[in-house]
Amino acid sequence: MSRNHYKKNFGKKSNVSNSDRCIVSREESETVQILELGHNGDGLAKLRDGTNRFIPYTLAGEIVKISYTKNDFSLIKIQRASKDRIKPICKYFTTCGGCKTQQMTLHMYQLWKRGTIEKALINQGLNIHVDPLINAHGQGRRRVSFHAKRGKNQIFAGLMKYRSHDILNIENCPILVPALSSGIKIVRDLARIMPIHSKPIDVQLTMSETGIDCNINNFPAQLSELFTVITELANKHNTARISLNREVIIERNPPIISIDSAKVVLPPGSFLQATVEGEKIISEIVLEYARDALHIADLYCGIGTFAIRMAKKTKVTAFDNDKLSILALKKAINHTQGLKPIVAIKRNLSTQPLVPQELKKFDTIVFDPPRSGAKNQVQQLVASKVKRIIAVSCNPSSFASDASVLARGGFTLKRVTPVDQFKFTPHIELVAQFE
């Protein structure tokens, strides 16, 4: 990538907001060396005053010129590029606030991403070999959240700009499954029926087997009042369903997600693994670790990604706090043959974790908590007589914290496998085995 590209996209005008300019009184510049990559994918540099700064889109070993103030900084140019620097695949890279690491070779990318898990574990006193990173991008992400608003003379539809609340108009996103390439057109048409100058809407699109599922948040009017227009829009784009704040407005086709032999109707806005390949790989690892279980508790089960697959061989009790996900799982169970008994229960495990008395009937625990982790539930697991735990996590930091509690409670962390279904971003999934 040329130096002019960085000067254009990281000049002080593009990265300091008007409010910052009002309070900034002094700007300095200097040339620094990038020491290493941080967990967010930014390069760490030590300034001449001894402070550390993270410089986005830089790589370890590079010499770069930056300008900065007390409140902000900008990358001006790369004076000596890393041999691991490559050309990004997307023309919006560095302008869009999404991907952070398209500029590095695959080798560096794999080392960095795996290293984020290693460092998180070491910070918690856990020294264990982490398996090589598994590429689970597949055909691309099947879910995306776009933003949209309507100005007086222009429609804005796309992703947020880097370090900004402004919407970047885009034509497509190359990390999505090809079938979602038309998704931005749906979002743009939704913006056209918004009131002018209202707050931006968030539009979550999911590619199901029966079409695109669309869930809208923050729409400034009742979509039911626009039912005719919404129906026309759904027909135009052949969407499976359109919902507002998880309430269905129109459903042309139930959005189906296959989990093994089960057909699950995806609830609006519910959790789903980012890629089909990622779900497949994570599930295979979970099933391998749970292969001889007799009764499994599937905690934070969602729509049954693991529960349904595990029930091919063993009894499962599944828990989640999302009512719609539990209802979808129950419906799928009732229409699927060849499963061992599955009990699906709505329960908030963060505020009402399973206690040792309840846990004693399970020989294996599987848990896949939100990014914040499973602190309260893990404390109960330590107090129980459970012998085997399989953890799935999308946050190395919260996972390492939970793992340290389990380790202090007598569990041994046997294996950690990173699964990359969030390509070019700092996000990483992992599967771990405790005994």
Side-chain angles (χ1 to χ4, degrees):
M1 184 177 293
S2 70
R3 294 177 180 177
N4 287 336
H5 176 94
Y6 284 93
K7 190 171 183 180
K8 174 183 176 182
N9 287 294
F10 291 96
K12 58 188 176 184
K13 289 185 179 180
S14 65
N15 271 330
V16 182
S17 66
N18 290 330
S19 60
D20 285 334
R21 290 193 183 96
C22 294
I23 61 175
V24 169
S25 58
R26 182 181 178 185
E27 181 175 273
E28 300 183 55
S29 66
E30 64 179 276
T31 299
V32 296
Q33 181 174 7
I34 304 302
L35 304 176
E36 61 178 342
L37 288 181
H39 69 277
N40 283 324
D42 299 328
L44 176 65
K46 185 179 288 293
L47 274 57
R48 56 177 167 242
D49 64 2
T51 61
N52 292 327
R53 294 276 186 146
F54 284 101
I55 316 299
Y57 310 114
T58 59
L59 300 178
E62 292 188 326
I63 305 296
V64 301
K65 185 176 182 181
I66 63 170
S67 65
Y68 59 92
T69 66
K70 181 179 179 181
N71 302 289
D72 210 344
F73 62 88
S74 299
L75 172 63
I76 301 303
K77 64 179 179 180
I78 299 172
Q79 295 185 339
R80 189 183 75 190
S82 166
K83 60 181 176 55
D84 286 301
R85 179 172 289 279
I86 61 174
K87 183 179 180 180
I89 66 168
C90 179
K91 66 180 180 181
Y92 303 113
F93 183 63
T94 72
T95 306
C96 174
C99 296
K100 295 292 290 292
T101 59
Q102 291 186 12
Q103 83 283 22
M104 64 177 71
T105 61
L106 178 62
H107 177 68
M108 173 176 274
Y109 174 82
Q110 291 175 331
L111 290 177
W112 161 71
K113 207 155 201 182
R114 178 172 173 263
T116 61
I117 298 175
E118 292 176 322
K119 289 179 181 179
L121 291 170
I122 290 172
N123 288 340
Q124 292 290 342
L126 299 169
N127 190 4
I128 180 174
H129 171 79
V130 176
D131 290 341
L133 183 73
I134 298 176
N135 177 12
H137 183 68
Q139 295 298 309
R141 290 203 218 170
R142 57 180 168 180
R143 168 166 284 182
V144 63
S145 289
F146 285 127
H147 312 283
K149 66 178 297 184
R150 180 185 173 196
K152 184 176 181 180
N153 300 308
Q154 186 177 4
I155 296 296
F156 299 90
L159 299 165
M160 292 298 184
K161 294 181 179 179
Y162 173 69
R163 287 200 293 181
S164 171
H165 295 295
D166 295 333
I167 296 173
L168 172 68
N169 274 318
I170 66 170
E171 298 169 5
N172 58 67
C173 177
I175 66 170
L176 302 180
V177 292
L180 269 182
S181 61
S182 63
I184 193 63
K185 297 177 182 178
I186 300 173
V187 179
R188 194 165 284 119
D189 279 353
L190 283 168
R192 290 191 176 96
I193 63 175
M194 292 175 62
I196 296 175
H197 298 315
S198 58
K199 292 182 179 180
I201 58 172
D202 301 319
V203 185
Q204 184 185 67
L205 302 177
T206 304
M207 193 64 232
S208 76
E209 295 169 22
T210 51
I212 295 177
D213 182 37
C214 174
N215 181 57
I216 308 162
N217 292 309
N218 305 322
F219 198 84
Q222 289 295 322
L223 287 186
S224 57
E225 300 174 0
L226 302 169
F227 181 78
T228 300
V229 176
I230 293 296
T231 301
E232 292 174 352
L233 190 152
N235 290 332
K236 174 183 176 182
H237 295 288
N238 196 29
T239 56
R241 181 177 64 190
I242 297 180
S243 307
L244 174 62
N245 300 323
R246 306 192 73 186
E247 292 189 11
V248 177
I249 302 300
I250 179 172
E251 183 175 274
R252 300 173 66 252
N253 300 300
I256 299 295
I257 300 293
S258 289
I259 300 178
D260 203 78
S261 59
K263 302 294 183 182
V264 182
V265 178
L266 186 69
S270 63
F271 174 78
L272 187 68
Q273 295 292 347
T275 69
V276 173
E277 186 70 7
E279 179 180 304
K280 175 178 176 289
I281 291 171
I282 294 169
S283 298
E284 287 174 350
I285 299 172
V286 170
L287 289 174
E288 171 62 21
Y289 292 160
R291 61 187 178 277
D292 58 351
L294 300 176
H295 191 178
I296 301 173
D298 184 4
L299 313 183
Y300 313 94
C301 67
I303 59 173
T305 301
F306 308 132
I308 291 172
R309 290 179 168 95
M310 293 187 297
K312 297 283 284 187
K313 293 185 177 181
T314 190
K315 184 165 56 173
V316 178
T317 303
F319 301 85
D320 200 278
N321 72 330
D322 184 60
K323 179 181 178 180
L324 295 181
S325 293
I326 290 295
L327 290 175
L329 174 54
K330 287 181 176 180
K331 184 176 180 180
I333 293 169
N334 292 335
H335 291 84
T336 305
Q337 296 181 343
L339 299 179
K340 302 290 186 180
I342 302 180
V343 178
I345 300 171
K346 180 185 179 299
R347 181 160 171 169
N348 188 331
L349 297 171
S350 296
T351 58
Q352 191 185 2
L354 296 180
V355 298
Q357 182 67 18
E358 297 172 292
L359 290 165
K360 67 180 183 179
K361 64 182 179 181
F362 305 111
D363 62 317
T364 299
I365 304 294
V366 174
F367 72 87
D368 184 9
R371 289 190 59 79
S372 56
K375 179 181 178 180
N376 291 341
Q377 184 60 75
V378 163
Q379 290 172 344
Q380 297 300 319
L381 291 174
V382 167
S384 75
K385 295 184 179 181
V386 171
K387 299 299 183 184
R388 178 169 51 190
I389 297 173
I390 303 162
V392 180
S393 174
C394 61
N395 185 343
S397 179
S398 63
F399 165 75
S401 178
D402 290 341
S404 68
V405 174
L406 291 172
R408 291 194 300 271
F411 284 90
T412 299
L413 178 55
K414 304 288 289 184
R415 191 169 182 178
V416 179
T417 305
V419 180
D420 187 20
Q421 59 175 339
F422 298 99
K423 198 171 183 179
F424 304 127
T425 78
H427 301 297
I428 181 71
E429 204 88 13
L430 64 87
V431 188
Q433 180 187 27
F434 296 86
E435 291 182 355

